[in-house]
Structures are given as structure tokens and as C-alpha cells.
Amino acid sequence: MLRMVGLLVGLLWAVGAQAQAVADLRDGREGEIRFASSSPSGPTALMGGTGPGVEILGTLSLPPGTGRVPAMVVVHGSGGISAGREHAWAKRLLDMGVAAFVTDSFRPRGVSSTARDQSRVPTMAMVADAFAALKLLATHPRIDAGRIGIMGFSKGGQVSLYTALEPLRRAVAGDRRFATHVPLYPSCALPYVAHEVTRAPMLVLMGGADDYTPAAQCARYIDWFRGKGAPIRSIVYPGASHGFDSPAPVRRLDSVQAARDCRMDIELEPVQGRRWDDGALVPPERIGAYLRSCMTRGAHFGGNPAALARAVEDVRAHLAATIGAH
């Protein structure tokens, strides 16, 4: 039933969309923009360029004026785009003098949410979308191509992290790379790792009471990035739950799929899993079985006004230091 609803959503989106997909933004447009991406099922397909093509939707907002400005790609979480989070952050970015490009990886694929089943839109498909957005923004006459960063929430936070991995970037983005990465409460229970990272500056923001994507698991991944030479900083807001920047009160969501009980790195060169407990290798064809065995259900989600206020200032300071926000 949920899949049928998702397909209907995608059909209605396709029928209602008026604009044609664009190859570049040299005309200086903003607003809703359709552009080409791909739908790889996993890292092997992404790095091999074998994902089927798809058109993605994004909403570009520019600060007032005529000069060149920095920009951020804003990547939604498993609940899709909401006015209270993704678009609220876009408005905050505009106030900082930063263009915001909120990408929609779900509706064009006929999906409204992946909260109950994260495989409905693979994370690597959203990584492909983010890199496609980066290349597209670099053609806009008002955007400084060397000052384009990425921020994301939960599932989008993973995308913000993984776009710093060189094998993925080289496969999709060519000579482009994000200037900074700002993941908020990403899942770090099944991190992708590689021999090289871009070494762009990173700021990771997490909640101390997050029982969906625990901050403690990300501490390990942050140390890994730091060991690869990435200038990375992390902040944990005490008492804050998953989605601390949401306007909704904290509540328990019993049906959401969580990876917090998983403990495996996914290496990219070659693609294989490596268990945290005993270091045992997991071949690619068995990674899916491991994921099904470790996934669980239920977590808390909701806003924390104090954490949000701090996060806005922390993001502002980070972007001022990295891409010239104000």
C-alpha cells in the first residue's frame, strides 16, 4: 500500500511539473529547477556509473544583490522535505548571505518517506543527487563555484559525510568538490570508509539524547576522518534528541527503521564490509543480509529550541570561516 501511494505521489509530481530539466544555470534562474541525476543501488553502481538516469527537483534561493555568493546544497532526511527544517534552514542561510539549493531526492522517484524502509531510496542515490547539484550550481553566474558546501539532516547527514570520500567524488563530480560539509545527526553505525578524503572542513552537529543515530557512534567516524587529515569539528548538544532543529515536540516514532545496533564499516576499495567486533570481512553479497539482521525499530524525534539556537550560531561561525558567510 505504501509503495502504491509513493508511486502515485511520483506520478502526480511528474504530471504537474512544468519546467524542463536543465543542463546548466547560465541564465541565472532561481526557484524550482529540474536536473539530471542517477539512481545507483549502492557504491559499486555509483562508482561504476551504472545507475539508471532520473530527473531530480531542487529549489534554489539567492540572497539579494548582484554579486557572487557562496552556496549550500541542503539535503533532506528520511522524512523528506519539510518547511520547518529544510526550508527553514534555507532561510537562515539566506540571512547569512549564502544561496540555498534544497534538493528533493524522493518525489521524483515516487517516494514520500524512507523512514520505515531506508532501502526505498538508497543513500548512494542521494549522494549522486548531491554531486549533480554541485556541478549544476557551479554553472550559475551568481554562485562562486569554489565556495559551494553541503549540509544535511539524518539520512541527508550521511550524504553530507559521504560526499567527502574521494572514490565517490571522483566517480561523479569530476574536478568539483564541496568546500565544506555540515552534517546534522547523521547515522554512523554503517560508515563508508576510503583511502582518501577531500580534506574539506567539516562540522558535525549531534544531540546528546539521540537514540536514533547515537552521537557516540559518530565519535568513532569523526576520529577516522581526522586521521585522514580532514579538519573536522563536532558538537554534541546535551539533552537534544534526533531532529533537534525541528519545530515539533519530541515524540517516539515506533515504526522508524534504525541502524543503531549495526556495527560495520563498509570499505570502498574494494567494496566489502568489516565488522567492528572481530574485524571479520563481509563480502558484498552478504552485506545486505547483515543489514537485515541488525536493523531495529523505534526512536525519539523532536525539537529542542536551545539546541537549535546554538546550532544556528555554530553553523554561522563555521560557514563564515570556510565559505565567507556573514
Side-chain angles (χ1 to χ4, degrees):
M1 183 64 179
L2 287 174
R3 189 172 297 276
M4 291 177 62
V5 171
L7 290 173
L8 179 60
V9 170
L11 178 61
L12 292 174
W13 175 85
V15 171
Q18 299 299 318
Q20 296 296 312
V22 299
D24 63 65
L25 299 176
R26 287 179 293 180
D27 60 3
R29 73 178 64 191
E30 57 183 310
E32 287 196 349
I33 297 168
R34 291 173 63 193
F35 60 101
S37 184
S38 64
S39 293
S41 58
T44 300
L46 185 142
M47 292 186 291
T50 58
V54 65
E55 290 182 359
I56 295 301
L57 180 68
T59 302
L60 176 61
S61 303
L62 297 168
T66 58
R68 287 163 66 84
V69 296
M72 292 291 285
V73 174
V74 180
V75 185
H76 62 75
S78 57
I81 295 173
S82 70
R85 185 173 64 181
E86 286 78 12
H87 286 305
W89 273 106
K91 292 178 181 178
R92 295 178 190 119
L93 291 169
L94 290 177
D95 289 341
M96 301 175 195
V98 178
F101 193 35
V102 180
T103 57
D104 188 345
S105 292
F106 285 2
R107 282 192 297 155
R109 293 185 171 96
V111 173
S112 59
S113 172
T114 63
R116 296 185 180 186
D117 180 2
Q118 296 296 347
S119 68
R120 296 192 68 198
V121 176
T123 305
M124 288 298 106
M126 295 178 69
V127 169
D129 297 348
F131 281 132
L134 167 65
K135 292 191 291 183
L136 186 68
L137 287 181
T139 68
H140 198 290
R142 283 209 57 206
I143 293 175
D144 186 337
R147 294 191 290 157
I148 302 173
I150 181 171
M151 72 183 302
F153 316 93
S154 194
K155 190 177 178 80
Q158 290 178 277
V159 174
S160 184
L161 287 168
Y162 299 158
T163 46
L165 302 176
E166 275 288 76
L168 304 182
R169 185 203 64 77
R170 285 195 299 263
V172 185
D175 61 350
R176 297 293 177 192
R177 66 189 64 212
F178 285 108
T180 191
H181 303 252
V182 184
L184 280 74
Y185 40 89
S187 174
C188 300
L190 295 159
Y192 285 90
V193 297
H195 296 317
E196 295 180 89
V197 301
T198 66
R199 299 188 180 183
M202 309 175 79
L203 174 67
V204 186
L205 304 180
M206 300 168 287
D210 193 328
D211 61 358
Y212 193 6
T213 59
Q217 291 182 334
C218 282
R220 177 181 178 276
Y221 199 25
I222 288 165
D223 285 343
W224 177 84
F225 268 107
R226 191 171 288 122
K228 291 293 182 179
I232 185 168
R233 181 183 178 218
S234 63
I235 301 174
V236 178
Y237 303 119
S241 298
H242 194 82
F244 57 76
D245 53 343
S246 166
V250 176
R251 65 197 187 281
R252 180 173 171 80
L253 305 176
D254 293 328
S255 63
V256 296
Q257 186 181 57
R260 59 176 174 262
D261 291 341
C262 301
R263 302 285 191 278
M264 185 173 69
D265 294 333
I266 300 178
E267 301 174 353
L268 294 177
E269 305 157 302
V271 174
Q272 60 185 355
R274 187 179 296 274
R275 295 279 297 266
W276 294 3
D277 49 4
D278 57 9
L281 294 178
V282 180
E285 64 272 16
R286 298 190 62 184
I287 290 177
Y290 175 77
L291 298 184
R292 290 188 291 273
S293 73
C294 66
M295 289 291 182
T296 188
R297 296 279 176 188
H300 290 83
F301 178 95
N304 183 307
L308 172 57
R310 287 189 55 193
V312 171
E313 293 311 311
D314 289 332
V315 170
R316 185 190 305 274
H318 177 79
L319 296 185
T322 56
I323 61 173
H326 57 67

